Amino acid sequence: MLKDMLYIGLGGFMEVKERVEKELKALEEKGKLSKDDSKTFLKNLYDKGEEEHNRHYKLMTKALKDVIGELGLATKDDIKNLEKKIDEKL
């Protein structure tokens, strides 16, 4: 399910990206927008997208850690600590 959500998100992103680029190119051809303005707009859009991605990634990571903690699941650190204790006893 997570994989499907990722593909849907990427597909949606690519569709929007193509439409924005098409509209910017049309505005350039009509002389209503310079190439520099178009590039600046795309860069700003990309930067904002990257910021949002990072923000969502942090939120998702925190949420997953909270769920793991609530369920009492063992983490990698928990397993490493147990392995270390076992090695010390042997």
Side-chain angles (χ1 to χ4, degrees), residues 4-89:
D4 292 338
M5 289 173 53
L6 177 65
Y7 287 145
I8 289 169
L10 287 173
F13 168 76
M14 292 306 294
E15 181 67 24
V16 169
K17 180 181 178 275
E18 289 173 7
R19 287 185 183 190
V20 167
E21 287 175 344
K22 183 179 176 181
E23 288 299 319
L24 289 175
K25 188 166 185 95
L27 289 172
E28 285 176 22
E29 289 172 357
K30 292 178 183 177
K32 294 184 177 183
L33 188 67
S34 72
K35 287 192 180 216
D36 287 338
D37 289 340
S38 178
K39 286 180 184 179
T40 300
F41 177 78
L42 284 175
K43 180 170 179 0
N44 288 339
L45 197 59
Y46 177 83
D47 291 345
K48 286 180 183 178
E50 190 173 24
E51 287 173 16
E52 279 300 302
H53 166 75
N54 291 335
R55 188 176 71 83
H56 283 100
Y57 181 82
K58 288 176 185 176
L59 289 172
M60 183 67 89
T61 301
K62 183 185 179 324
L64 287 172
K65 285 181 181 180
D66 290 346
V67 168
I68 288 169
E70 288 177 17
L71 294 175
L73 300 175
T75 64
K76 287 181 182 181
D77 290 337
D78 294 334
I79 294 169
K80 284 181 185 178
N81 288 335
L82 285 172
E83 289 173 343
K84 185 178 176 181
K85 285 181 181 179
I86 292 170
D87 288 342
E88 288 173 359
K89 299 263 181 186

